[in-house]
Amino acid sequence: MVQLSKFLAVAAACLAAPAIAHPGEKHDPHVVKREVHTRDAMAAHAKRSLGGCESTLHARELNKRSIARRSRTVQKLRQKRGISANPQKWRRDLAALEKWEAIDHNRTGILDYSAATPESIIFAANTSCILTPTVTDGPYYVWGEVMRQNVKEDEYSEGVDVFLEVQYIDINTCKPVPGALVDIWQANATGVYSGISVSGNYAADGWDSTYLRGIQQTDRDGVATFESIIPGHYDGRATHTHLLTHLNATLLPNKTLKADTGSVAHIGQLFWNEALRTAVEETYPYDTNTQAVTSNADDMWSILQADSAYDPFPEYIYLGDDLDDGLFAWIQIGINATTDYTDDDYYNIAAYHYASGGVSNSDSAIGGSGGGTAPSGSAMPSGSAVPTTSA
């Protein structure tokens, strides 16, 4: 029996608290407030755009392919991992509540489905909001990471496995966005990022570390897939995963991105609901994390009117009957393919990774004024490949 329950989706979840979002992050709250209103207007436009084309033949066919692909992916993962127990699907209740502070993320409505339940119910997905630069990339984005589907390494990557599918849809056409180059990065199980070296969030091996970072290119259906772990928490932030999407960027022979090419079409964060976080953090090594826990509600910059247009929580399914078997998660993200956030204050490069190792960007939000331009004479970061086996 497949069990389904769907957690709440709300507008405020697309925001990260600018005052405490990341150690070293600097944003003017008045500017953030203005951008909140801009984001709301953009999301409303995106919803109208999607509504105008979602019934077209190509949109319906894309949806059918996506449902079938997710079903095949889960079947293959279960076979590969030797799992025979029934998978469990957890879905969020889409009811919009009046205030973010009133939301109980642990509220679930568990519905039992038979083996005859259509795949279209189990593996459907709602296209999320445009996660605009109101959701900053934070001060831990590193340019020069390599193309790899599995971002786990031999060290610092132990945790609950998650196989993540991210699908990008152009809000103006309801067509997929192929060829996009998607950066992913997150903290490990004990709340530590790789590739940076700052007090309070120090990565083992400092600027040279690369665990839980990587790049993938979207296929003809706008899909990029990653093998990672559920991230751990750290003081001041709810549990989240970063995504940053480049269009028309140049891929170098060493499988890194060439600097100053293409556009930044999307900056966003995926959040993981409280029920899942709680269950995950009862396992090792998450239970060794001594940093303070911040809930999704406390992560918000302000209490805003809930809106079903915003949905930054991935759908996910337990591959087996417990977390040891891992998760498959997926989300659709609507973007405006003509938008470019390269010069936006929220696009910040903390460091560059070269074949010889990582170096800090002195102009980043950690120690500088923000922004992200490569050092003179260093326009082509060339990070070397690193082990990608599971910890």
Side-chain angles (χ1 to χ4, degrees), residues 87-164:
Q88 300 183 58
K89 169 71 188 294
W90 301 80
R91 300 178 64 198
R92 297 177 304 282
D93 182 350
L94 288 179
L97 301 183
E98 290 185 348
K99 294 292 183 180
W100 173 254
E101 65 180 353
I103 290 172
D104 177 6
H105 278 81
N106 289 307
R107 186 189 307 173
T108 63
I110 298 178
L111 304 175
D112 292 336
Y113 286 80
S114 72
T117 302
E119 291 180 346
S120 59
I121 294 178
I122 298 175
F123 292 106
N126 291 317
T127 303
S128 73
C129 61
I130 303 177
L131 300 183
T132 69
T134 300
V135 183
T136 173
D137 68 355
Y140 300 151
Y141 174 56
V142 176
W143 186 287
E145 298 301 335
V146 298
M147 289 277 292
R148 55 177 180 173
Q149 188 270 340
N150 186 347
V151 298
K152 296 183 296 182
E153 299 183 7
D154 287 332
E155 294 185 291
Y156 318 120
S157 298
E158 188 175 359
V160 173
D161 289 337
V162 61
F163 302 85
L164 176 65

Side-chain angles (χ1 to χ4, degrees), residues 49-318:
S49 297
L50 289 168
C53 60
E54 64 184 358
S55 62
T56 59
L57 178 61
H58 68 255
R60 295 198 305 270
E61 290 299 320
L62 176 64
N63 186 54
K64 290 179 182 178
R65 291 199 302 272
S66 296
I67 289 170
R69 180 187 60 254
R70 293 171 192 137
S71 178
R72 289 194 304 270
T73 299
V74 167
Q75 291 174 12
K76 290 178 180 178
L77 288 171
R78 283 166 52 80
Q79 291 172 359
K80 182 179 180 181
R81 299 166 79 86
I83 299 170
S84 59
N86 288 330
Q88 300 183 58
K89 169 71 188 294
W90 301 80
R91 300 178 64 198
R92 297 177 304 282
D93 182 350
L94 288 179
L97 301 183
E98 290 185 348
K99 294 292 183 180
W100 173 254
E101 65 180 353
I103 290 172
D104 177 6
H105 278 81
N106 289 307
R107 186 189 307 173
T108 63
I110 298 178
L111 304 175
D112 292 336
Y113 286 80
S114 72
T117 302
E119 291 180 346
S120 59
I121 294 178
I122 298 175
F123 292 106
N126 291 317
T127 303
S128 73
C129 61
I130 303 177
L131 300 183
T132 69
T134 300
V135 183
T136 173
D137 68 355
Y140 300 151
Y141 174 56
V142 176
W143 186 287
E145 298 301 335
V146 298
M147 289 277 292
R148 55 177 180 173
Q149 188 270 340
N150 186 347
V151 298
K152 296 183 296 182
E153 299 183 7
D154 287 332
E155 294 185 291
Y156 318 120
S157 298
E158 188 175 359
V160 173
D161 289 337
V162 61
F163 302 85
L164 176 65
E165 174 192 293
V166 185
Q167 184 174 39
Y168 290 90
I169 306 295
D170 190 329
I171 62 167
N172 298 306
T173 64
C174 285
K175 292 183 178 180
V177 182
L181 291 161
V182 182
D183 269 286
I184 190 171
W185 69 102
Q186 65 179 58
N188 69 0
T190 55
V192 179
Y193 284 88
S194 67
I196 51 91
S197 180
V198 297
S199 177
N201 208 321
Y202 178 77
D205 302 324
W207 304 103
D208 295 338
S209 57
T210 57
Y211 59 85
L212 303 181
R213 294 179 182 269
I215 301 172
Q216 279 288 279
Q217 189 167 34
T218 58
D219 63 16
R220 70 184 185 96
D221 280 341
V223 173
T225 59
F226 295 94
E227 182 176 349
S228 186
I229 62 169
I230 297 295
H233 71 270
Y234 55 95
D235 192 15
R237 286 305 318 274
T239 301
H240 64 284
T241 298
H242 290 272
L243 296 170
L244 191 149
T245 307
H246 311 263
L247 297 182
N248 303 310
T250 300
L251 190 62
L252 297 171
N254 65 358
K255 302 300 182 181
T256 65
L257 300 184
K258 182 179 180 180
D260 302 322
T261 62
S263 62
V264 176
H266 167 259
I267 304 173
Q269 297 173 22
L270 305 182
F271 292 86
W272 303 89
N273 66 56
E274 296 297 334
L276 176 62
R277 180 193 62 77
T278 300
V280 166
E281 294 198 344
E282 291 176 353
T283 67
Y284 178 84
Y286 299 90
D287 59 2
T288 67
N289 188 348
T290 59
Q291 299 188 70
V293 173
T294 300
S295 68
N296 285 316
D298 291 337
D299 186 68
M300 298 306 104
W301 177 72
S302 62
I303 299 171
L304 299 176
Q305 182 75 22
D307 189 331
S308 60
Y310 294 91
D311 191 358
F313 297 97
E315 305 285 349
Y316 64 93
I317 186 171
Y318 281 49

Side-chain angles (χ1 to χ4, degrees), residues 292-371:
V293 173
T294 300
S295 68
N296 285 316
D298 291 337
D299 186 68
M300 298 306 104
W301 177 72
S302 62
I303 299 171
L304 299 176
Q305 182 75 22
D307 189 331
S308 60
Y310 294 91
D311 191 358
F313 297 97
E315 305 285 349
Y316 64 93
I317 186 171
Y318 281 49
L319 293 174
D321 56 8
D322 59 41
L323 290 170
D324 290 340
D325 293 323
L327 306 171
F328 173 63
W330 65 95
I331 191 169
Q332 288 179 329
I333 297 176
I335 67 171
N336 187 336
T338 64
T339 302
D340 185 4
Y341 297 119
T342 301
D343 295 326
D344 195 281
D345 288 342
Y346 286 94
Y347 176 50
N348 174 73
I349 297 177
Y352 297 89
H353 194 265
Y354 302 89
S356 57
V359 295
S360 65
N361 176 15
S362 60
D363 194 36
S364 76
I366 291 179
S369 58

